Coordinates of all heavy atoms in Angstrom, one line a residue:
G20 N -87.0 37.6 -109.5 CA -87.0 37.2 -108.0 C -85.9 38.0 -107.3 O -85.7 39.2 -107.4
Q21 N -85.1 37.3 -106.7 CA -84.0 37.9 -105.7 C -82.7 38.1 -106.4 O -81.8 38.6 -105.8 CB -83.9 36.9 -104.5 CG -85.1 36.9 -103.6 CD -85.5 38.3 -103.2 OE1 -84.7 39.1 -102.6 NE2 -86.8 38.6 -103.3
G22 N -82.5 37.7 -107.6 CA -81.2 37.8 -108.3 C -80.7 39.2 -108.3 O -79.6 39.4 -107.9
P23 N -81.5 40.2 -108.7 CA -81.0 41.6 -108.6 C -80.6 42.0 -107.2 O -79.6 42.7 -107.1 CB -82.2 42.4 -109.2 CG -82.9 41.4 -110.0 CD -82.8 40.1 -109.3
V24 N -81.4 41.6 -106.3 CA -81.0 42.0 -104.9 C -79.7 41.4 -104.4 O -78.9 42.0 -103.9 CB -82.2 41.5 -103.9 CG1 -81.8 41.7 -102.5 CG2 -83.6 42.2 -104.3
V25 N -79.5 40.1 -104.8 CA -78.2 39.4 -104.3 C -77.1 40.1 -105.1 O -76.0 40.3 -104.4 CB -78.3 37.9 -104.7 CG1 -77.0 37.3 -104.5 CG2 -79.4 37.2 -103.8
A26 N -77.4 40.5 -106.3 CA -76.3 41.2 -107.1 C -75.9 42.5 -106.5 O -74.7 42.8 -106.3 CB -76.7 41.3 -108.5
V27 N -76.9 43.4 -106.2 CA -76.5 44.7 -105.6 C -76.0 44.5 -104.2 O -75.1 45.4 -103.8 CB -77.8 45.6 -105.7 CG1 -78.2 45.9 -107.1 CG2 -78.9 45.2 -104.8
V28 N -76.4 43.6 -103.4 CA -75.8 43.3 -102.2 C -74.4 42.9 -102.2 O -73.5 43.6 -101.6 CB -76.5 42.4 -101.3 CG1 -75.9 41.9 -100.1 CG2 -78.0 42.8 -100.9
A29 N -74.0 42.1 -103.2 CA -72.7 41.7 -103.4 C -71.8 42.9 -103.9 O -70.7 43.1 -103.4 CB -72.6 40.6 -104.4
L30 N -72.3 43.6 -104.9 CA -71.6 44.8 -105.3 C -71.4 45.8 -104.2 O -70.2 46.3 -104.0 CB -72.3 45.4 -106.5 CG -71.7 46.6 -107.1 CD1 -70.4 46.4 -107.5 CD2 -72.6 47.3 -108.1
G31 N -72.4 46.1 -103.5 CA -72.3 47.1 -102.4 C -71.4 46.6 -101.3 O -70.5 47.4 -100.7
G32 N -71.5 45.3 -101.0 CA -70.6 44.7 -100.0 C -69.2 44.8 -100.4 O -68.3 45.0 -99.5
A33 N -68.8 44.6 -101.6 CA -67.5 44.7 -102.1 C -66.9 46.0 -101.9 O -65.9 46.3 -101.5 CB -67.4 44.2 -103.5
L34 N -67.8 47.1 -102.3 CA -67.4 48.5 -102.2 C -67.1 48.8 -100.7 O -66.2 49.5 -100.4 CB -68.5 49.3 -102.7 CG -68.6 49.2 -104.3 CD1 -69.8 50.1 -104.8 CD2 -67.4 49.6 -105.0
G35 N -68.1 48.4 -99.9 CA -68.0 48.7 -98.4 C -66.8 48.0 -97.9 O -66.1 48.7 -97.1
A36 N -66.5 46.8 -98.2 CA -65.4 46.1 -97.6 C -64.0 46.8 -98.1 O -63.1 46.9 -97.3 CB -65.4 44.7 -98.0
C37 N -64.1 47.2 -99.4 CA -62.8 48.0 -99.8 C -62.6 49.2 -99.0 O -61.5 49.6 -98.7 CB -62.9 48.3 -101.4 SG -62.7 46.8 -102.3
A38 N -63.7 50.0 -98.7 CA -63.6 51.2 -97.9 C -63.1 50.8 -96.5 O -62.2 51.6 -96.0 CB -64.9 51.9 -97.9
R39 N -63.6 49.8 -95.9 CA -63.1 49.4 -94.6 C -61.7 49.0 -94.7 O -60.8 49.4 -93.8 CB -63.9 48.2 -94.1 CG -63.4 47.7 -92.8 CD -64.2 46.5 -92.2 NE -63.8 45.4 -93.0 CZ -64.6 44.5 -93.6 NH1 -65.9 44.7 -93.4 NH2 -64.2 43.5 -94.2
Y40 N -61.2 48.3 -95.7 CA -59.8 47.9 -95.8 C -59.0 49.2 -95.9 O -57.9 49.3 -95.4 CB -59.7 47.1 -97.1 CG -58.2 46.6 -97.3 CD1 -57.5 45.7 -96.6 CD2 -57.5 47.3 -98.3 CE1 -56.3 45.4 -96.9 CE2 -56.2 47.0 -98.6 CZ -55.6 46.0 -97.8 OH -54.3 45.7 -98.2
G41 N -59.4 50.1 -96.7 CA -58.7 51.5 -96.8 C -58.6 52.1 -95.5 O -57.5 52.6 -95.2
A42 N -59.6 52.1 -94.7 CA -59.4 52.8 -93.4 C -58.4 52.0 -92.5 O -57.6 52.7 -91.8 CB -60.8 52.6 -92.7
G43 N -58.3 50.7 -92.6 CA -57.3 49.9 -92.0 C -55.9 50.2 -92.4 O -55.0 50.1 -91.6
Q44 N -55.8 50.5 -93.7 CA -54.5 50.9 -94.3 C -54.1 52.2 -93.9 O -52.9 52.5 -93.6 CB -54.6 50.6 -95.7 CG -54.7 49.3 -96.2 CD -53.6 48.4 -95.8 OE1 -52.4 48.6 -96.1 NE2 -54.0 47.4 -95.0
L45 N -55.1 53.2 -93.8 CA -54.8 54.5 -93.4 C -54.4 54.7 -91.9 O -53.6 55.5 -91.5 CB -55.9 55.5 -93.8 CG -56.1 55.8 -95.2 CD1 -57.5 56.5 -95.5 CD2 -54.9 56.6 -95.7
W46 N -55.1 53.9 -91.2 CA -55.0 54.0 -89.7 C -54.7 52.6 -89.1 O -55.7 52.0 -88.4 CB -56.2 54.6 -89.0 CG -56.4 56.0 -89.5 CD1 -55.8 57.1 -89.2 CD2 -57.5 56.4 -90.4 NE1 -56.2 58.3 -89.9 CE2 -57.4 57.7 -90.6 CE3 -58.6 55.7 -91.0 CZ2 -58.2 58.4 -91.5 CZ3 -59.4 56.3 -91.8 CH2 -59.3 57.7 -92.0
P47 N -53.6 52.0 -89.4 CA -53.3 50.6 -88.9 C -53.3 50.5 -87.3 O -52.9 51.5 -86.7 CB -52.0 50.2 -89.5 CG -51.4 51.5 -89.8 CD -52.5 52.6 -90.1
T48 N -53.8 49.4 -86.9 CA -53.7 49.1 -85.4 C -52.7 48.2 -85.1 O -52.7 47.0 -85.6 CB -55.1 48.6 -84.9 OG1 -56.1 49.6 -85.3 CG2 -55.1 48.3 -83.4
P49 N -51.7 48.6 -84.2 CA -50.7 47.6 -83.9 C -51.4 46.4 -83.2 O -52.4 46.5 -82.5 CB -49.7 48.3 -82.9 CG -49.9 49.7 -83.3 CD -51.4 49.8 -83.7
H50 N -50.7 45.2 -83.3 CA -51.4 43.9 -82.7 C -51.8 44.0 -81.3 O -52.8 43.5 -80.9 CB -50.4 42.7 -83.0 CG -50.9 41.4 -82.5 ND1 -52.0 40.8 -83.4 CD2 -50.8 40.6 -81.5 CE1 -52.4 39.7 -82.7 NE2 -51.5 39.6 -81.7
D51 N -50.9 44.7 -80.5 CA -51.2 44.7 -79.0 C -51.9 46.0 -78.5 O -52.0 46.4 -77.4 CB -49.9 44.6 -78.3 CG -48.9 45.7 -78.7 OD1 -49.0 46.4 -79.6 OD2 -47.9 45.8 -77.9
A52 N -52.5 46.9 -79.6 CA -53.1 48.0 -79.2 C -54.6 48.0 -79.2 O -55.2 47.1 -79.8 CB -52.6 49.2 -80.3
F53 N -55.2 49.0 -78.7 CA -56.7 49.1 -78.7 C -57.2 49.3 -80.1 O -56.6 50.2 -80.9 CB -57.1 50.3 -77.9 CG -58.7 50.3 -77.6 CD1 -59.3 49.7 -76.6 CD2 -59.5 51.0 -78.5 CE1 -60.6 49.7 -76.4 CE2 -60.8 51.1 -78.3 CZ -61.4 50.5 -77.2
P54 N -58.2 48.6 -80.6 CA -58.5 48.7 -82.0 C -59.4 49.8 -82.4 O -60.6 49.8 -82.7 CB -59.2 47.3 -82.2 CG -59.7 46.9 -80.9 CD -58.8 47.5 -79.9
W55 N -58.8 51.0 -82.3 CA -59.6 52.3 -82.6 C -60.1 52.4 -83.8 O -61.2 52.9 -84.1 CB -58.6 53.5 -82.3 CG -58.3 53.7 -80.8 CD1 -57.1 53.5 -80.2 CD2 -59.3 54.1 -79.8 NE1 -57.4 53.7 -78.9 CE2 -58.6 54.2 -78.6 CE3 -60.7 54.5 -79.8 CZ2 -59.3 54.5 -77.4 CZ3 -61.2 54.9 -78.7 CH2 -60.5 55.0 -77.5
T56 N -59.4 51.9 -84.9 CA -59.9 52.0 -86.4 C -61.2 51.2 -86.4 O -62.1 51.6 -87.1 CB -58.8 51.5 -87.3 OG1 -57.6 52.3 -87.2 CG2 -59.3 51.6 -88.7
T57 N -61.2 50.0 -86.0 CA -62.4 49.1 -86.0 C -63.4 49.8 -85.3 O -64.6 49.8 -85.8 CB -62.1 47.7 -85.6 OG1 -61.0 47.1 -86.3 CG2 -63.4 46.8 -85.7
L58 N -63.3 50.3 -84.2 CA -64.3 51.0 -83.4 C -64.8 52.1 -84.3 O -66.1 52.3 -84.3 CB -63.8 51.5 -82.0 CG -64.7 52.3 -81.2 CD1 -65.8 51.5 -80.6 CD2 -64.0 52.9 -80.1
G59 N -64.0 53.0 -84.7 CA -64.3 54.1 -85.5 C -65.2 53.8 -86.7 O -66.2 54.4 -87.1
V60 N -64.8 52.7 -87.5 CA -65.4 52.3 -88.6 C -66.8 51.8 -88.3 O -67.8 52.2 -88.9 CB -64.7 51.2 -89.3 CG1 -65.6 50.4 -90.3 CG2 -63.5 51.7 -90.0
N61 N -67.0 51.1 -87.3 CA -68.3 50.5 -86.9 C -69.2 51.7 -86.4 O -70.3 51.6 -86.8 CB -68.2 49.4 -85.8 CG -67.6 48.2 -86.3 OD1 -67.7 47.8 -87.5 ND2 -67.0 47.4 -85.4
V62 N -68.7 52.6 -85.6 CA -69.6 53.7 -85.0 C -70.0 54.7 -86.3 O -71.1 55.0 -86.4 CB -68.9 54.5 -83.9 CG1 -69.6 55.7 -83.6 CG2 -68.7 53.5 -82.7
A63 N -68.9 54.9 -87.1 CA -69.3 55.8 -88.3 C -70.4 55.1 -89.2 O -71.2 55.8 -89.6 CB -68.0 56.1 -89.0
G64 N -70.1 53.8 -89.5 CA -71.1 53.1 -90.3 C -72.5 53.1 -89.7 O -73.4 53.2 -90.5
C65 N -72.5 52.9 -88.5 CA -73.9 52.8 -87.9 C -74.5 54.2 -87.9 O -75.7 54.3 -88.1 CB -73.7 52.4 -86.4 SG -73.5 50.6 -86.3
A66 N -73.7 55.3 -87.7 CA -74.3 56.7 -88.0 C -74.8 56.8 -89.3 O -76.0 57.3 -89.5 CB -73.3 57.7 -87.7
V67 N -74.1 56.4 -90.3 CA -74.6 56.4 -91.7 C -75.8 55.7 -91.9 O -76.8 56.1 -92.6 CB -73.5 56.1 -92.7 CG1 -74.0 56.1 -94.1 CG2 -72.3 57.1 -92.6
I68 N -75.9 54.4 -91.3 CA -77.1 53.6 -91.3 C -78.3 54.4 -90.8 O -79.4 54.4 -91.4 CB -76.9 52.3 -90.7 CG1 -75.9 51.4 -91.5 CG2 -78.2 51.6 -90.5 CD1 -75.5 50.1 -90.8
G69 N -78.1 55.2 -89.7 CA -79.1 55.8 -89.1 C -79.7 56.9 -90.0 O -80.9 57.1 -90.2
V70 N -78.8 57.6 -90.7 CA -79.1 58.7 -91.6 C -79.8 58.1 -92.8 O -81.0 58.6 -93.2 CB -78.0 59.6 -92.0 CG1 -78.3 60.4 -93.2 CG2 -77.3 60.3 -90.9
F71 N -79.2 57.1 -93.4 CA -79.8 56.4 -94.6 C -81.2 55.9 -94.3 O -82.1 56.1 -95.3 CB -78.8 55.4 -95.0 CG -79.4 54.5 -96.1 CD1 -79.6 55.0 -97.3 CD2 -79.7 53.2 -95.9 CE1 -80.0 54.3 -98.4 CE2 -80.1 52.4 -97.0 CZ -80.3 53.0 -98.2
M72 N -81.4 55.2 -93.2 CA -82.7 54.5 -93.0 C -83.8 55.6 -92.9 O -85.0 55.4 -93.3 CB -82.7 53.6 -91.8 CG -81.8 52.4 -92.0 SD -82.1 51.5 -93.5 CE -83.7 50.9 -93.4
V73 N -83.5 56.7 -92.3 CA -84.6 57.8 -92.2 C -84.8 58.3 -93.6 O -86.0 58.5 -94.0 CB -84.1 59.0 -91.2 CG1 -84.9 60.1 -91.4 CG2 -84.0 58.5 -89.8
L74 N -83.8 58.5 -94.4 CA -84.0 59.1 -95.7 C -84.8 58.1 -96.6 O -85.7 58.5 -97.3 CB -82.7 59.4 -96.4 CG -81.9 60.5 -95.8 CD1 -80.5 60.6 -96.5 CD2 -82.6 61.8 -95.8
V75 N -84.5 56.8 -96.6 CA -85.2 55.9 -97.4 C -86.7 55.5 -96.9 O -87.5 55.0 -97.6 CB -84.5 54.6 -97.7 CG1 -83.2 54.9 -98.5 CG2 -84.2 53.8 -96.5
T76 N -86.9 55.8 -95.6 CA -88.3 55.5 -95.1 C -89.1 56.7 -95.0 O -90.4 56.6 -95.2 CB -88.2 54.7 -93.7 OG1 -87.5 55.5 -92.9 CG2 -87.5 53.4 -93.9
D77 N -88.5 57.8 -94.7 CA -89.3 59.0 -94.4 C -89.3 60.1 -95.6 O -90.1 60.9 -95.7 CB -88.9 59.7 -93.2 CG -89.1 58.9 -91.9 OD1 -89.5 57.9 -92.1 OD2 -88.7 59.4 -90.8
V78 N -88.3 60.0 -96.5 CA -88.2 61.1 -97.5 C -88.2 60.6 -98.8 O -89.0 61.1 -99.6 CB -86.7 61.8 -97.2 CG1 -86.5 62.8 -98.3 CG2 -86.6 62.3 -95.9
W79 N -87.5 59.6 -99.3 CA -87.5 59.1 -100.6 C -88.5 58.0 -100.8 O -88.8 57.3 -100.0 CB -86.1 58.5 -101.0 CG -84.9 59.4 -100.9 CD1 -84.8 60.8 -100.9 CD2 -83.6 59.0 -100.7 NE1 -83.5 61.1 -100.7 CE2 -82.8 60.0 -100.6 CE3 -83.0 57.7 -100.7 CZ2 -81.3 59.9 -100.4 CZ3 -81.6 57.5 -100.6 CH2 -80.8 58.6 -100.5
A80 N -88.9 58.0 -102.1 CA -89.6 56.8 -102.6 C -88.5 56.1 -103.4 O -88.5 56.2 -104.7 CB -90.7 57.1 -103.5
A81 N -87.6 55.4 -102.7 CA -86.4 54.9 -103.4 C -86.7 53.5 -104.1 O -87.6 52.8 -103.9 CB -85.4 54.5 -102.3
H82 N -86.0 53.3 -105.1 CA -86.1 52.1 -105.9 C -85.9 50.9 -105.0 O -85.1 51.0 -104.1 CB -85.0 52.2 -107.1 CG -85.1 51.0 -108.0 ND1 -84.5 49.8 -107.7 CD2 -85.7 50.9 -109.3 CE1 -84.6 49.0 -108.8 NE2 -85.3 49.6 -109.7
R83 N -86.4 49.8 -105.3 CA -86.3 48.7 -104.6 C -85.0 48.0 -104.2 O -84.7 47.3 -103.3 CB -87.3 47.5 -105.0 CG -86.7 46.8 -106.2 CD -87.7 45.7 -106.7 NE -87.0 44.9 -107.7 CZ -86.5 43.7 -107.5 NH1 -86.4 43.3 -106.3 NH2 -85.9 43.0 -108.5
L84 N -84.0 48.5 -105.1 CA -82.6 48.0 -104.9 C -81.7 48.9 -104.1 O -80.6 48.6 -103.8 CB -82.0 47.6 -106.3 CG -82.7 46.5 -107.0 CD1 -82.1 46.3 -108.4 CD2 -82.8 45.2 -106.3
V85 N -82.2 50.1 -103.8 CA -81.4 51.0 -103.1 C -81.1 50.5 -101.6 O -79.9 50.6 -101.2 CB -82.1 52.5 -103.0 CG1 -81.4 53.4 -102.1 CG2 -82.2 53.0 -104.5
R86 N -82.1 50.1 -101.0 CA -81.8 49.7 -99.5 C -80.9 48.6 -99.4 O -79.9 48.5 -98.7 CB -83.1 49.4 -98.9 CG -83.9 50.5 -98.4 CD -85.2 50.3 -97.8 NE -85.2 49.8 -96.5 CZ -86.1 49.6 -95.6 NH1 -87.3 50.0 -96.0 NH2 -85.9 49.2 -94.5
P87 N -81.1 47.5 -100.3 CA -80.2 46.3 -100.2 C -78.8 46.8 -100.7 O -77.7 46.3 -100.1 CB -80.7 45.3 -101.1 CG -82.1 45.7 -101.7 CD -82.2 47.2 -101.1
F88 N -78.7 47.7 -101.6 CA -77.3 48.1 -102.1 C -76.6 48.9 -101.0 O -75.5 48.5 -100.6 CB -77.5 48.9 -103.4 CG -76.1 49.5 -103.9 CD1 -75.1 48.7 -104.4 CD2 -75.9 50.8 -103.7 CE1 -74.0 49.2 -104.8 CE2 -74.6 51.3 -104.1 CZ -73.7 50.5 -104.7
L89 N -77.2 50.0 -100.6 CA -76.5 50.8 -99.7 C -76.6 50.3 -98.1 O -75.5 50.2 -97.5 CB -77.1 52.1 -99.7 CG -76.8 53.0 -100.9 CD1 -77.6 54.4 -100.8 CD2 -75.4 53.3 -101.0
G90 N -77.7 49.8 -97.7 CA -77.9 49.3 -96.3 C -77.2 48.1 -96.0 O -76.2 48.0 -95.3
T91 N -77.6 47.1 -96.8 CA -77.1 45.8 -96.5 C -75.7 45.6 -97.2 O -74.8 45.1 -96.6 CB -77.9 44.6 -97.1 OG1 -79.3 44.8 -96.5 CG2 -77.5 43.3 -96.8
G92 N -75.5 46.1 -98.4 CA -74.3 45.9 -99.2 C -73.1 46.8 -98.6 O -72.2 46.3 -98.0
V93 N -73.2 48.1 -99.0 CA -72.1 49.1 -98.8 C -71.9 49.2 -97.2 O -70.8 48.9 -96.8 CB -72.5 50.4 -99.3 CG1 -71.3 51.4 -99.0 CG2 -72.4 50.3 -100.9
L94 N -72.9 49.4 -96.5 CA -72.8 49.7 -95.1 C -72.5 48.3 -94.3 O -71.8 48.4 -93.4 CB -73.9 50.5 -94.5 CG -73.9 51.9 -95.1 CD1 -75.3 52.6 -94.6 CD2 -72.8 52.7 -94.7
G95 N -73.2 47.3 -94.8 CA -72.9 45.9 -94.2 C -71.5 45.6 -94.4 O -70.8 45.0 -93.6
G96 N -70.9 45.9 -95.6 CA -69.5 45.5 -95.8 C -68.5 46.5 -95.2 O -67.5 46.1 -94.9
F97 N -68.9 47.6 -94.9 CA -68.1 48.7 -94.4 C -67.9 48.4 -92.8 O -66.9 48.3 -92.2 CB -68.6 50.1 -94.5 CG -67.8 51.2 -93.9 CD1 -66.5 51.3 -94.4 CD2 -68.2 51.9 -92.9 CE1 -65.7 52.4 -93.8 CE2 -67.4 53.0 -92.3 CZ -66.1 53.2 -92.8
T98 N -69.1 48.2 -92.1 CA -69.0 47.8 -90.7 C -68.5 46.5 -90.6 O -68.7 45.7 -91.4 CB -70.3 48.0 -90.1 OG1 -71.3 47.2 -90.7 CG2 -70.8 49.5 -90.1
T99 N -67.8 46.2 -89.5 CA -67.0 45.0 -89.4 C -67.2 44.4 -88.1 O -66.3 44.5 -87.2 CB -65.6 45.2 -89.8 OG1 -65.0 44.0 -89.6 CG2 -64.9 46.3 -89.1

Side-chain angles (χ1 to χ4, degrees):
Q21 295 300 312
V24 175
V25 171
V27 298
V28 168
L30 176 62
L34 294 173
C37 287
R39 179 184 71 231
Y40 177 78
Q44 294 300 301
L45 287 172
W46 303 287
T48 300
H50 184 70
D51 59 345
F53 189 90
W55 289 107
T56 302
T57 303
L58 174 69
V60 162
N61 286 337
V62 170
C65 286
V67 174
I68 288 169
V70 171
F71 173 68
M72 293 313 293
V73 169
L74 293 177
V75 299
T76 58
D77 297 359
V78 177
W79 300 340
H82 186 276
R83 75 178 187 96
L84 297 177
V85 170
R86 282 175 78 166
F88 173 72
L89 290 174
T91 305
V93 174
L94 294 171
F97 181 67
T98 57
T99 177

